[in-house]
Structures are given as structure tokens and as C-alpha cells.
Amino acid sequence: MDSEKLQKVLARSGFGSRREMERWIEEKRININGVLATLGDRVTPLDKVSLNGKLVELVFAGAEPRRVLLYNKPLGEVCTRHDPEGRPTVFDALPPLKQGRWIAIGRLDINTTGLLIFTTDGELANKMMHPSARIDREYAVRVLGEVDEEMLDRLKKGVLLDDGMANFTDVQFFDGEGANKWYHCVVMEGRNREVRRLWESQGLKVSRLKRVRFGPVFMPSDIKVGTWKEMDRKACNLLALEMGLEQDTSRVVRTPIQRAADERLHKKQRVRQSADKERVVRQEVKQKRKTGKVRSVGKRNAR
């Protein structure tokens, strides 16, 4: 039975990048068959691997395909798996996995919408997020205020922010009249609120912000807000090749039953969106009742 390097299998299983897995091994967080793992160890499907004392399921080469989801993030969702404040997270909307876990490629703040990419492949996620990859991110932004050419030149040449110099590699007028105008701008980093802070450094207010592209991946027009769509194998392989990774050679083929299950999940997305809207409305009404800004009207007893 063929064996693989432990850190490679863990990365494929969605626990992180190979480098991160190597660090976990050095930190003595991983056991193989009850024995502390060391760098260079190899595993097979017969081995039992535990992380922080808990058994984990591993995905070996050819066992599961590399999966990539494109998600159109709505306002009000946070990019964490569990939020201590109880706010909805982007992971709540994703389809469940039998093995591994979804890894978010990059983040968006709670008030930013648009393209989020998720994958089951830790190596792909690491390649796309690492600064050395120099992957650009494109945003559509609506700003309030007067914008002139000198201002755009400053934004492209560089502005000193609290955490250092930052700039747009490109910024172009897109649409709009009057005080509110839409621009498309590109940044090469994923620094916290970088796009907002760049515009605000010029005395402008950002009223809407949406990511429309992450590297070679564009937001498809058929993905509605709050819903996801999975890349097919050909698109996944093209993305992997651009990132310098091997193509997916797994032998797994989705059956008609699995495809039907996927279709049901897509239908549930629309139901989930409606439920989210109702939940938001209920929370707003509840808050207004607490502040005395709305009168509570009780239900009449049915007779």
C-alpha cells in the first residue's frame, strides 16, 4: 500500500498548508498510531492519526477530488467559523463535507460583499493567500465625494496608512453621476480594510464595497447574493496549474444521486436567504421594541 508524507496528507485534508502542518508536527500536536509524529513520517489509509488528541479523517491521493466553491458573501456575515457574538458566518451557508473541511481563501469584513473562494485543499489555499504569489484583488467601490485625477494619482503612487504605505495598482471610473460614483480598484495585498482606508485617506466615504475578482477567478453573474457555486474539475485544474500545483487525478466521480443532492442544496440556498431576511427583520423589530420605538401588537386569539 502506497504511503504519503504526513504533512502532505494533512494539507490535502483541509487542515492547513504543508508548512503549517510541519510546524504542528514540530509542536508535537500530532500522533500516528499513538506515537508522537516527527518530520519525515509517512502514513497510509490504515494508520490512525490524531490531532491534539482527537482522531482525524485523512484524504489520500486519488480518494477525494479537490473541491473549490465560489460564494457571493452578503452584508452582515463574518469570516470566522464560530463568532462569540452569535453573528452569522460565511461557513454557515456552505454544503457539508464528509471528509476534510472548507478553507476560506482570504477574508472580507462584515460590511464588504462579493467573492469569497473556499477549497478543501490546504495547499491551494496557502498558494493563493501567500504574499509571494502576488495575487491581485479587484473591488467595485461606491464612494461619496468629489474625485479628481490628482487624487487617483496619489492612490496609485502610494499613501501612508497606519500600518505602512499602500496603494492601488489600478483604479478606474466605472459608473455613476452626482456625489456617488462607482470605481473599480485593484490591490495586491489582503490587509485589513485596506481599500476603505485608502479612499478614506482622501476624505471620501465608502458607501458600498464588493469584491469582484480574486486573482484569475471572477465572480460569476449567476451566483446570487448569499449563495455558492462549485467549480467543475476542469476549472479547478486550471486554477491549480496557475498556482503551480498538480492537477487533480482522483478517480471519484459524482453519481446521479449525489448530483441530485447538490441540486437540493442549491434550492435550500434560496430558502436560507429568505429565512435570513426574516431573521434580520425580527431582530430589528425586537431591538426597536427594547428602545420603545415601535408598539408591540399581539396576536388575536383564534376562535
PDB file of all heavy atoms in Angstrom, residues 170-206:
ATOM      1  N   ASP A 170      -4.226  49.710  -9.741  1.00  0.00           N
ATOM      2  CA  ASP A 170      -5.050  50.286 -10.810  1.00  0.00           C
ATOM      3  C   ASP A 170      -6.349  50.779 -10.189  1.00  0.00           C
ATOM      4  O   ASP A 170      -6.860  50.178  -9.237  1.00  0.00           O
ATOM      5  CB  ASP A 170      -5.345  49.250 -11.895  1.00  0.00           C
ATOM      6  CG  ASP A 170      -5.983  49.871 -13.131  1.00  0.00           C
ATOM      7  OD1 ASP A 170      -5.781  51.089 -13.360  1.00  0.00           O
ATOM      8  OD2 ASP A 170      -6.687  49.156 -13.859  1.00  0.00           O
ATOM      9  N   VAL A 171      -6.886  51.874 -10.705  1.00  0.00           N
ATOM     10  CA  VAL A 171      -8.180  52.384 -10.270  1.00  0.00           C
ATOM     11  C   VAL A 171      -8.817  53.109 -11.456  1.00  0.00           C
ATOM     12  O   VAL A 171      -8.187  53.942 -12.091  1.00  0.00           O
ATOM     13  CB  VAL A 171      -8.055  53.310  -9.036  1.00  0.00           C
ATOM     14  CG1 VAL A 171      -7.094  54.462  -9.295  1.00  0.00           C
ATOM     15  CG2 VAL A 171      -9.417  53.822  -8.611  1.00  0.00           C
ATOM     16  N   GLN A 172     -10.064  52.731 -11.773  1.00  0.00           N
ATOM     17  CA  GLN A 172     -10.745  53.267 -12.942  1.00  0.00           C
ATOM     18  C   GLN A 172     -12.179  53.641 -12.598  1.00  0.00           C
ATOM     19  O   GLN A 172     -12.848  52.935 -11.845  1.00  0.00           O
ATOM     20  CB  GLN A 172     -10.772  52.218 -14.076  1.00  0.00           C
ATOM     21  CG  GLN A 172      -9.413  51.764 -14.558  1.00  0.00           C
ATOM     22  CD  GLN A 172      -8.694  52.807 -15.375  1.00  0.00           C
ATOM     23  OE1 GLN A 172      -9.328  53.709 -15.928  1.00  0.00           O
ATOM     24  NE2 GLN A 172      -7.376  52.711 -15.459  1.00  0.00           N
ATOM     25  N   PHE A 173     -12.636  54.771 -13.163  1.00  0.00           N
ATOM     26  CA  PHE A 173     -14.048  55.150 -13.028  1.00  0.00           C
ATOM     27  C   PHE A 173     -14.903  54.107 -13.737  1.00  0.00           C
ATOM     28  O   PHE A 173     -14.582  53.655 -14.828  1.00  0.00           O
ATOM     29  CB  PHE A 173     -14.280  56.527 -13.632  1.00  0.00           C
ATOM     30  CG  PHE A 173     -15.740  56.909 -13.701  1.00  0.00           C
ATOM     31  CD1 PHE A 173     -16.428  57.281 -12.564  1.00  0.00           C
ATOM     32  CD2 PHE A 173     -16.422  56.877 -14.913  1.00  0.00           C
ATOM     33  CE1 PHE A 173     -17.779  57.630 -12.621  1.00  0.00           C
ATOM     34  CE2 PHE A 173     -17.758  57.222 -14.986  1.00  0.00           C
ATOM     35  CZ  PHE A 173     -18.442  57.599 -13.833  1.00  0.00           C
ATOM     36  N   PHE A 174     -16.016  53.738 -13.107  1.00  0.00           N
ATOM     37  CA  PHE A 174     -16.888  52.721 -13.675  1.00  0.00           C
ATOM     38  C   PHE A 174     -18.255  53.273 -14.059  1.00  0.00           C
ATOM     39  O   PHE A 174     -18.710  53.112 -15.188  1.00  0.00           O
ATOM     40  CB  PHE A 174     -17.057  51.564 -12.682  1.00  0.00           C
ATOM     41  CG  PHE A 174     -17.893  50.432 -13.203  1.00  0.00           C
ATOM     42  CD1 PHE A 174     -17.402  49.596 -14.190  1.00  0.00           C
ATOM     43  CD2 PHE A 174     -19.181  50.205 -12.727  1.00  0.00           C
ATOM     44  CE1 PHE A 174     -18.169  48.545 -14.693  1.00  0.00           C
ATOM     45  CE2 PHE A 174     -19.950  49.163 -13.211  1.00  0.00           C
ATOM     46  CZ  PHE A 174     -19.442  48.327 -14.198  1.00  0.00           C
ATOM     47  N   ASP A 175     -18.938  53.948 -13.128  1.00  0.00           N
ATOM     48  CA  ASP A 175     -20.297  54.403 -13.411  1.00  0.00           C
ATOM     49  C   ASP A 175     -20.728  55.394 -12.336  1.00  0.00           C
ATOM     50  O   ASP A 175     -20.140  55.461 -11.259  1.00  0.00           O
ATOM     51  CB  ASP A 175     -21.250  53.206 -13.438  1.00  0.00           C
ATOM     52  CG  ASP A 175     -22.607  53.564 -14.052  1.00  0.00           C
ATOM     53  OD1 ASP A 175     -22.697  54.611 -14.715  1.00  0.00           O
ATOM     54  OD2 ASP A 175     -23.566  52.802 -13.848  1.00  0.00           O
ATOM     55  N   GLY A 176     -21.797  56.128 -12.634  1.00  0.00           N
ATOM     56  CA  GLY A 176     -22.414  56.978 -11.630  1.00  0.00           C
ATOM     57  C   GLY A 176     -22.374  58.449 -11.978  1.00  0.00           C
ATOM     58  O   GLY A 176     -21.512  58.923 -12.718  1.00  0.00           O
ATOM     59  N   GLU A 177     -23.347  59.169 -11.433  1.00  0.00           N
ATOM     60  CA  GLU A 177     -23.427  60.618 -11.590  1.00  0.00           C
ATOM     61  C   GLU A 177     -23.678  61.248 -10.230  1.00  0.00           C
ATOM     62  O   GLU A 177     -24.164  60.594  -9.309  1.00  0.00           O
ATOM     63  CB  GLU A 177     -24.549  61.004 -12.564  1.00  0.00           C
ATOM     64  CG  GLU A 177     -24.350  60.488 -13.984  1.00  0.00           C
ATOM     65  CD  GLU A 177     -25.508  60.858 -14.895  1.00  0.00           C
ATOM     66  OE1 GLU A 177     -26.491  61.445 -14.379  1.00  0.00           O
ATOM     67  OE2 GLU A 177     -25.419  60.581 -16.094  1.00  0.00           O
ATOM     68  N   GLY A 178     -23.370  62.528 -10.111  1.00  0.00           N
ATOM     69  CA  GLY A 178     -23.608  63.204  -8.846  1.00  0.00           C
ATOM     70  C   GLY A 178     -22.531  62.884  -7.822  1.00  0.00           C
ATOM     71  O   GLY A 178     -21.380  62.604  -8.155  1.00  0.00           O
ATOM     72  N   ALA A 179     -22.932  62.878  -6.538  1.00  0.00           N
ATOM     73  CA  ALA A 179     -21.955  62.704  -5.458  1.00  0.00           C
ATOM     74  C   ALA A 179     -21.478  61.263  -5.338  1.00  0.00           C
ATOM     75  O   ALA A 179     -20.340  61.006  -4.961  1.00  0.00           O
ATOM     76  CB  ALA A 179     -22.569  63.168  -4.138  1.00  0.00           C
ATOM     77  N   ASN A 180     -22.349  60.291  -5.643  1.00  0.00           N
ATOM     78  CA  ASN A 180     -21.979  58.875  -5.532  1.00  0.00           C
ATOM     79  C   ASN A 180     -21.499  58.337  -6.874  1.00  0.00           C
ATOM     80  O   ASN A 180     -22.219  58.397  -7.871  1.00  0.00           O
ATOM     81  CB  ASN A 180     -23.182  58.045  -5.058  1.00  0.00           C
ATOM     82  CG  ASN A 180     -23.420  58.196  -3.570  1.00  0.00           C
ATOM     83  OD1 ASN A 180     -22.608  57.777  -2.762  1.00  0.00           O
ATOM     84  ND2 ASN A 180     -24.526  58.829  -3.204  1.00  0.00           N
ATOM     85  N   LYS A 181     -20.283  57.804  -6.879  1.00  0.00           N
ATOM     86  CA  LYS A 181     -19.729  57.242  -8.114  1.00  0.00           C
ATOM     87  C   LYS A 181     -19.092  55.887  -7.824  1.00  0.00           C
ATOM     88  O   LYS A 181     -18.569  55.641  -6.740  1.00  0.00           O
ATOM     89  CB  LYS A 181     -18.691  58.185  -8.723  1.00  0.00           C
ATOM     90  CG  LYS A 181     -19.259  59.509  -9.219  1.00  0.00           C
ATOM     91  CD  LYS A 181     -18.177  60.347  -9.871  1.00  0.00           C
ATOM     92  CE  LYS A 181     -18.755  61.641 -10.452  1.00  0.00           C
ATOM     93  NZ  LYS A 181     -19.285  62.507  -9.395  1.00  0.00           N
ATOM     94  N   TRP A 182     -19.146  55.016  -8.840  1.00  0.00           N
ATOM     95  CA  TRP A 182     -18.560  53.685  -8.730  1.00  0.00           C
ATOM     96  C   TRP A 182     -17.188  53.666  -9.405  1.00  0.00           C
ATOM     97  O   TRP A 182     -17.015  54.166 -10.515  1.00  0.00           O
ATOM     98  CB  TRP A 182     -19.450  52.650  -9.391  1.00  0.00           C
ATOM     99  CG  TRP A 182     -20.646  52.251  -8.583  1.00  0.00           C
ATOM    100  CD1 TRP A 182     -21.893  52.769  -8.641  1.00  0.00           C
ATOM    101  CD2 TRP A 182     -20.689  51.220  -7.588  1.00  0.00           C
ATOM    102  NE1 TRP A 182     -22.724  52.137  -7.752  1.00  0.00           N
ATOM    103  CE2 TRP A 182     -22.013  51.182  -7.087  1.00  0.00           C
ATOM    104  CE3 TRP A 182     -19.746  50.324  -7.069  1.00  0.00           C
ATOM    105  CZ2 TRP A 182     -22.407  50.286  -6.103  1.00  0.00           C
ATOM    106  CZ3 TRP A 182     -20.137  49.428  -6.089  1.00  0.00           C
ATOM    107  CH2 TRP A 182     -21.455  49.419  -5.611  1.00  0.00           C
ATOM    108  N   TYR A 183     -16.221  53.048  -8.699  1.00  0.00           N
ATOM    109  CA  TYR A 183     -14.894  52.834  -9.250  1.00  0.00           C
ATOM    110  C   TYR A 183     -14.522  51.358  -9.095  1.00  0.00           C
ATOM    111  O   TYR A 183     -15.027  50.670  -8.196  1.00  0.00           O
ATOM    112  CB  TYR A 183     -13.854  53.690  -8.523  1.00  0.00           C
ATOM    113  CG  TYR A 183     -13.938  55.156  -8.860  1.00  0.00           C
ATOM    114  CD1 TYR A 183     -14.866  55.982  -8.220  1.00  0.00           C
ATOM    115  CD2 TYR A 183     -13.116  55.726  -9.828  1.00  0.00           C
ATOM    116  CE1 TYR A 183     -14.970  57.320  -8.533  1.00  0.00           C
ATOM    117  CE2 TYR A 183     -13.202  57.078 -10.146  1.00  0.00           C
ATOM    118  CZ  TYR A 183     -14.127  57.865  -9.493  1.00  0.00           C
ATOM    119  OH  TYR A 183     -14.231  59.199  -9.813  1.00  0.00           O
ATOM    120  N   HIS A 184     -13.652  50.899  -9.973  1.00  0.00           N
ATOM    121  CA  HIS A 184     -13.048  49.577  -9.804  1.00  0.00           C
ATOM    122  C   HIS A 184     -11.589  49.794  -9.453  1.00  0.00           C
ATOM    123  O   HIS A 184     -10.882  50.536 -10.142  1.00  0.00           O
ATOM    124  CB  HIS A 184     -13.181  48.738 -11.075  1.00  0.00           C
ATOM    125  CG  HIS A 184     -14.493  48.035 -11.182  1.00  0.00           C
ATOM    126  ND1 HIS A 184     -14.596  46.736 -11.625  1.00  0.00           N
ATOM    127  CD2 HIS A 184     -15.753  48.427 -10.887  1.00  0.00           C
ATOM    128  CE1 HIS A 184     -15.870  46.358 -11.599  1.00  0.00           C
ATOM    129  NE2 HIS A 184     -16.591  47.383 -11.172  1.00  0.00           N
ATOM    130  N   CYS A 185     -11.131  49.165  -8.360  1.00  0.00           N
ATOM    131  CA  CYS A 185      -9.755  49.346  -7.911  1.00  0.00           C
ATOM    132  C   CYS A 185      -9.135  47.988  -7.590  1.00  0.00           C
ATOM    133  O   CYS A 185      -9.837  47.029  -7.268  1.00  0.00           O
ATOM    134  CB  CYS A 185      -9.696  50.274  -6.705  1.00  0.00           C
ATOM    135  SG  CYS A 185     -10.798  49.824  -5.347  1.00  0.00           S
ATOM    136  N   VAL A 186      -7.804  47.935  -7.693  1.00  0.00           N
ATOM    137  CA  VAL A 186      -7.081  46.675  -7.529  1.00  0.00           C
ATOM    138  C   VAL A 186      -5.992  46.861  -6.479  1.00  0.00           C
ATOM    139  O   VAL A 186      -5.244  47.842  -6.509  1.00  0.00           O
ATOM    140  CB  VAL A 186      -6.436  46.224  -8.859  1.00  0.00           C
ATOM    141  CG1 VAL A 186      -5.655  44.929  -8.672  1.00  0.00           C
ATOM    142  CG2 VAL A 186      -7.515  46.047  -9.928  1.00  0.00           C
ATOM    143  N   VAL A 187      -5.908  45.900  -5.539  1.00  0.00           N
ATOM    144  CA  VAL A 187      -4.828  45.869  -4.551  1.00  0.00           C
ATOM    145  C   VAL A 187      -4.116  44.528  -4.636  1.00  0.00           C
ATOM    146  O   VAL A 187      -4.701  43.530  -5.066  1.00  0.00           O
ATOM    147  CB  VAL A 187      -5.357  46.093  -3.110  1.00  0.00           C
ATOM    148  CG1 VAL A 187      -5.883  47.510  -2.937  1.00  0.00           C
ATOM    149  CG2 VAL A 187      -6.430  45.079  -2.751  1.00  0.00           C
ATOM    150  N   MET A 188      -2.858  44.508  -4.196  1.00  0.00           N
ATOM    151  CA  MET A 188      -2.055  43.295  -4.272  1.00  0.00           C
ATOM    152  C   MET A 188      -1.939  42.594  -2.932  1.00  0.00           C
ATOM    153  O   MET A 188      -1.316  41.535  -2.831  1.00  0.00           O
ATOM    154  CB  MET A 188      -0.644  43.619  -4.780  1.00  0.00           C
ATOM    155  CG  MET A 188      -0.601  44.210  -6.162  1.00  0.00           C
ATOM    156  SD  MET A 188      -1.239  43.095  -7.435  1.00  0.00           S
ATOM    157  CE  MET A 188      -0.037  41.778  -7.374  1.00  0.00           C
ATOM    158  N   GLU A 189      -2.517  43.180  -1.887  1.00  0.00           N
ATOM    159  CA  GLU A 189      -2.414  42.601  -0.555  1.00  0.00           C
ATOM    160  C   GLU A 189      -3.800  42.365   0.020  1.00  0.00           C
ATOM    161  O   GLU A 189      -4.797  42.822  -0.540  1.00  0.00           O
ATOM    162  CB  GLU A 189      -1.639  43.546   0.376  1.00  0.00           C
ATOM    163  CG  GLU A 189      -0.226  43.843  -0.084  1.00  0.00           C
ATOM    164  CD  GLU A 189       0.431  44.899   0.785  1.00  0.00           C
ATOM    165  OE1 GLU A 189       0.022  46.065   0.701  1.00  0.00           O
ATOM    166  OE2 GLU A 189       1.343  44.544   1.543  1.00  0.00           O
ATOM    167  N   GLY A 190      -3.832  41.683   1.168  1.00  0.00           N
ATOM    168  CA  GLY A 190      -5.103  41.438   1.842  1.00  0.00           C
ATOM    169  C   GLY A 190      -5.131  42.077   3.220  1.00  0.00           C
ATOM    170  O   GLY A 190      -5.648  41.485   4.164  1.00  0.00           O
ATOM    171  N   ARG A 191      -4.571  43.275   3.348  1.00  0.00           N
ATOM    172  CA  ARG A 191      -4.524  43.952   4.637  1.00  0.00           C
ATOM    173  C   ARG A 191      -5.916  44.366   5.094  1.00  0.00           C
ATOM    174  O   ARG A 191      -6.807  44.624   4.285  1.00  0.00           O
ATOM    175  CB  ARG A 191      -3.606  45.176   4.549  1.00  0.00           C
ATOM    176  CG  ARG A 191      -2.141  44.802   4.448  1.00  0.00           C
ATOM    177  CD  ARG A 191      -1.303  45.844   3.761  1.00  0.00           C
ATOM    178  NE  ARG A 191      -1.223  47.078   4.520  1.00  0.00           N
ATOM    179  CZ  ARG A 191      -0.508  48.132   4.129  1.00  0.00           C
ATOM    180  NH1 ARG A 191       0.180  48.086   2.980  1.00  0.00           N
ATOM    181  NH2 ARG A 191      -0.476  49.223   4.858  1.00  0.00           N
ATOM    182  N   ASN A 192      -6.084  44.456   6.404  1.00  0.00           N
ATOM    183  CA  ASN A 192      -7.384  44.747   6.998  1.00  0.00           C
ATOM    184  C   ASN A 192      -7.939  46.090   6.529  1.00  0.00           C
ATOM    185  O   ASN A 192      -7.298  47.127   6.702  1.00  0.00           O
ATOM    186  CB  ASN A 192      -7.247  44.749   8.533  1.00  0.00           C
ATOM    187  CG  ASN A 192      -8.579  44.939   9.220  1.00  0.00           C
ATOM    188  OD1 ASN A 192      -9.593  44.380   8.805  1.00  0.00           O
ATOM    189  ND2 ASN A 192      -8.588  45.727  10.276  1.00  0.00           N
ATOM    190  N   ARG A 193      -9.126  46.059   5.908  1.00  0.00           N
ATOM    191  CA  ARG A 193      -9.861  47.259   5.474  1.00  0.00           C
ATOM    192  C   ARG A 193      -8.996  48.168   4.595  1.00  0.00           C
ATOM    193  O   ARG A 193      -9.158  49.392   4.588  1.00  0.00           O
ATOM    194  CB  ARG A 193     -10.377  48.034   6.682  1.00  0.00           C
ATOM    195  CG  ARG A 193     -11.335  47.245   7.568  1.00  0.00           C
ATOM    196  CD  ARG A 193     -11.899  48.074   8.712  1.00  0.00           C
ATOM    197  NE  ARG A 193     -12.869  49.056   8.237  1.00  0.00           N
ATOM    198  CZ  ARG A 193     -12.636  50.351   8.138  1.00  0.00           C
ATOM    199  NH1 ARG A 193     -11.439  50.855   8.456  1.00  0.00           N
ATOM    200  NH2 ARG A 193     -13.568  51.184   7.708  1.00  0.00           N
ATOM    201  N   GLU A 194      -8.087  47.593   3.831  1.00  0.00           N
ATOM    202  CA  GLU A 194      -7.142  48.394   3.057  1.00  0.00           C
ATOM    203  C   GLU A 194      -7.835  49.291   2.041  1.00  0.00           C
ATOM    204  O   GLU A 194      -7.506  50.480   1.902  1.00  0.00           O
ATOM    205  CB  GLU A 194      -6.137  47.485   2.348  1.00  0.00           C
ATOM    206  CG  GLU A 194      -5.076  48.244   1.571  1.00  0.00           C
ATOM    207  CD  GLU A 194      -4.069  47.316   0.914  1.00  0.00           C
ATOM    208  OE1 GLU A 194      -4.333  46.095   0.860  1.00  0.00           O
ATOM    209  OE2 GLU A 194      -3.031  47.818   0.460  1.00  0.00           O
ATOM    210  N   VAL A 195      -8.804  48.736   1.298  1.00  0.00           N
ATOM    211  CA  VAL A 195      -9.482  49.526   0.261  1.00  0.00           C
ATOM    212  C   VAL A 195     -10.233  50.697   0.885  1.00  0.00           C
ATOM    213  O   VAL A 195     -10.138  51.842   0.426  1.00  0.00           O
ATOM    214  CB  VAL A 195     -10.444  48.630  -0.546  1.00  0.00           C
ATOM    215  CG1 VAL A 195     -11.256  49.468  -1.536  1.00  0.00           C
ATOM    216  CG2 VAL A 195      -9.667  47.550  -1.294  1.00  0.00           C
ATOM    217  N   ARG A 196     -10.968  50.443   1.955  1.00  0.00           N
ATOM    218  CA  ARG A 196     -11.708  51.517   2.634  1.00  0.00           C
ATOM    219  C   ARG A 196     -10.755  52.603   3.145  1.00  0.00           C
ATOM    220  O   ARG A 196     -11.002  53.796   2.990  1.00  0.00           O
ATOM    221  CB  ARG A 196     -12.514  50.942   3.795  1.00  0.00           C
ATOM    222  CG  ARG A 196     -13.664  50.042   3.385  1.00  0.00           C
ATOM    223  CD  ARG A 196     -14.426  49.540   4.605  1.00  0.00           C
ATOM    224  NE  ARG A 196     -15.432  48.567   4.244  1.00  0.00           N
ATOM    225  CZ  ARG A 196     -16.664  48.882   3.852  1.00  0.00           C
ATOM    226  NH1 ARG A 196     -17.021  50.147   3.774  1.00  0.00           N
ATOM    227  NH2 ARG A 196     -17.526  47.932   3.543  1.00  0.00           N
ATOM    228  N   ARG A 197      -9.667  52.171   3.773  1.00  0.00           N
ATOM    229  CA  ARG A 197      -8.747  53.136   4.365  1.00  0.00           C
ATOM    230  C   ARG A 197      -8.053  53.995   3.305  1.00  0.00           C
ATOM    231  O   ARG A 197      -7.772  55.182   3.542  1.00  0.00           O
ATOM    232  CB  ARG A 197      -7.718  52.418   5.237  1.00  0.00           C
ATOM    233  CG  ARG A 197      -8.319  51.842   6.522  1.00  0.00           C
ATOM    234  CD  ARG A 197      -7.240  51.311   7.449  1.00  0.00           C
ATOM    235  NE  ARG A 197      -6.590  50.133   6.895  1.00  0.00           N
ATOM    236  CZ  ARG A 197      -5.293  49.860   7.058  1.00  0.00           C
ATOM    237  NH1 ARG A 197      -4.524  50.676   7.735  1.00  0.00           N
ATOM    238  NH2 ARG A 197      -4.773  48.762   6.537  1.00  0.00           N
ATOM    239  N   LEU A 198      -7.781  53.414   2.147  1.00  0.00           N
ATOM    240  CA  LEU A 198      -7.161  54.197   1.074  1.00  0.00           C
ATOM    241  C   LEU A 198      -8.091  55.310   0.603  1.00  0.00           C
ATOM    242  O   LEU A 198      -7.677  56.470   0.467  1.00  0.00           O
ATOM    243  CB  LEU A 198      -6.780  53.279  -0.091  1.00  0.00           C
ATOM    244  CG  LEU A 198      -5.431  52.571   0.042  1.00  0.00           C
ATOM    245  CD1 LEU A 198      -5.299  51.465  -0.997  1.00  0.00           C
ATOM    246  CD2 LEU A 198      -4.293  53.580  -0.113  1.00  0.00           C
ATOM    247  N   TRP A 199      -9.359  54.977   0.375  1.00  0.00           N
ATOM    248  CA  TRP A 199     -10.306  56.013  -0.058  1.00  0.00           C
ATOM    249  C   TRP A 199     -10.547  57.036   1.051  1.00  0.00           C
ATOM    250  O   TRP A 199     -10.611  58.247   0.800  1.00  0.00           O
ATOM    251  CB  TRP A 199     -11.628  55.378  -0.478  1.00  0.00           C
ATOM    252  CG  TRP A 199     -11.581  54.680  -1.799  1.00  0.00           C
ATOM    253  CD1 TRP A 199     -11.544  53.340  -2.024  1.00  0.00           C
ATOM    254  CD2 TRP A 199     -11.541  55.291  -3.100  1.00  0.00           C
ATOM    255  NE1 TRP A 199     -11.494  53.072  -3.371  1.00  0.00           N
ATOM    256  CE2 TRP A 199     -11.493  54.241  -4.051  1.00  0.00           C
ATOM    257  CE3 TRP A 199     -11.548  56.614  -3.548  1.00  0.00           C
ATOM    258  CZ2 TRP A 199     -11.449  54.485  -5.426  1.00  0.00           C
ATOM    259  CZ3 TRP A 199     -11.502  56.859  -4.919  1.00  0.00           C
ATOM    260  CH2 TRP A 199     -11.449  55.812  -5.836  1.00  0.00           C
ATOM    261  N   GLU A 200     -10.655  56.554   2.286  1.00  0.00           N
ATOM    262  CA  GLU A 200     -10.903  57.474   3.403  1.00  0.00           C
ATOM    263  C   GLU A 200      -9.722  58.407   3.643  1.00  0.00           C
ATOM    264  O   GLU A 200      -9.906  59.513   4.165  1.00  0.00           O
ATOM    265  CB  GLU A 200     -11.214  56.668   4.663  1.00  0.00           C
ATOM    266  CG  GLU A 200     -12.580  55.985   4.614  1.00  0.00           C
ATOM    267  CD  GLU A 200     -12.774  54.951   5.715  1.00  0.00           C
ATOM    268  OE1 GLU A 200     -11.812  54.764   6.516  1.00  0.00           O
ATOM    269  OE2 GLU A 200     -13.856  54.347   5.797  1.00  0.00           O
ATOM    270  N   SER A 201      -8.511  57.993   3.251  1.00  0.00           N
ATOM    271  CA  SER A 201      -7.343  58.865   3.391  1.00  0.00           C
ATOM    272  C   SER A 201      -7.453  60.107   2.526  1.00  0.00           C
ATOM    273  O   SER A 201      -6.760  61.101   2.761  1.00  0.00           O
ATOM    274  CB  SER A 201      -6.067  58.096   3.031  1.00  0.00           C
ATOM    275  OG  SER A 201      -5.970  57.883   1.626  1.00  0.00           O
ATOM    276  N   GLN A 202      -8.338  60.071   1.534  1.00  0.00           N
ATOM    277  CA  GLN A 202      -8.545  61.207   0.636  1.00  0.00           C
ATOM    278  C   GLN A 202      -9.797  62.006   1.007  1.00  0.00           C
ATOM    279  O   GLN A 202     -10.267  62.839   0.221  1.00  0.00           O
ATOM    280  CB  GLN A 202      -8.657  60.713  -0.815  1.00  0.00           C
ATOM    281  CG  GLN A 202      -7.493  59.860  -1.272  1.00  0.00           C
ATOM    282  CD  GLN A 202      -6.166  60.584  -1.137  1.00  0.00           C
ATOM    283  OE1 GLN A 202      -5.986  61.664  -1.715  1.00  0.00           O
ATOM    284  NE2 GLN A 202      -5.238  60.008  -0.377  1.00  0.00           N
ATOM    285  N   GLY A 203     -10.335  61.735   2.194  1.00  0.00           N
ATOM    286  CA  GLY A 203     -11.504  62.477   2.657  1.00  0.00           C
ATOM    287  C   GLY A 203     -12.809  62.012   2.042  1.00  0.00           C
ATOM    288  O   GLY A 203     -13.805  62.748   2.054  1.00  0.00           O
ATOM    289  N   LEU A 204     -12.834  60.786   1.518  1.00  0.00           N
ATOM    290  CA  LEU A 204     -14.027  60.240   0.880  1.00  0.00           C
ATOM    291  C   LEU A 204     -14.652  59.170   1.762  1.00  0.00           C
ATOM    292  O   LEU A 204     -13.981  58.550   2.584  1.00  0.00           O
ATOM    293  CB  LEU A 204     -13.671  59.647  -0.482  1.00  0.00           C
ATOM    294  CG  LEU A 204     -13.036  60.614  -1.486  1.00  0.00           C
ATOM    295  CD1 LEU A 204     -12.507  59.851  -2.681  1.00  0.00           C
ATOM    296  CD2 LEU A 204     -14.048  61.671  -1.932  1.00  0.00           C
ATOM    297  N   LYS A 205     -15.938  58.947   1.565  1.00  0.00           N
ATOM    298  CA  LYS A 205     -16.645  57.920   2.323  1.00  0.00           C
ATOM    299  C   LYS A 205     -17.025  56.773   1.395  1.00  0.00           C
ATOM    300  O   LYS A 205     -17.598  56.985   0.319  1.00  0.00           O
ATOM    301  CB  LYS A 205     -17.911  58.499   2.962  1.00  0.00           C
ATOM    302  CG  LYS A 205     -18.688  57.486   3.792  1.00  0.00           C
ATOM    303  CD  LYS A 205     -19.923  58.108   4.418  1.00  0.00           C
ATOM    304  CE  LYS A 205     -20.695  57.059   5.231  1.00  0.00           C
ATOM    305  NZ  LYS A 205     -21.925  57.648   5.838  1.00  0.00           N
ATOM    306  N   VAL A 206     -16.704  55.554   1.812  1.00  0.00           N
ATOM    307  CA  VAL A 206     -17.076  54.362   1.050  1.00  0.00           C
ATOM    308  C   VAL A 206     -18.457  53.918   1.510  1.00  0.00           C
ATOM    309  O   VAL A 206     -18.650  53.549   2.665  1.00  0.00           O
ATOM    310  CB  VAL A 206     -16.057  53.226   1.264  1.00  0.00           C
ATOM    311  CG1 VAL A 206     -16.541  51.946   0.584  1.00  0.00           C
ATOM    312  CG2 VAL A 206     -14.689  53.631   0.718  1.00  0.00           C
TER     313      VAL A 206
END
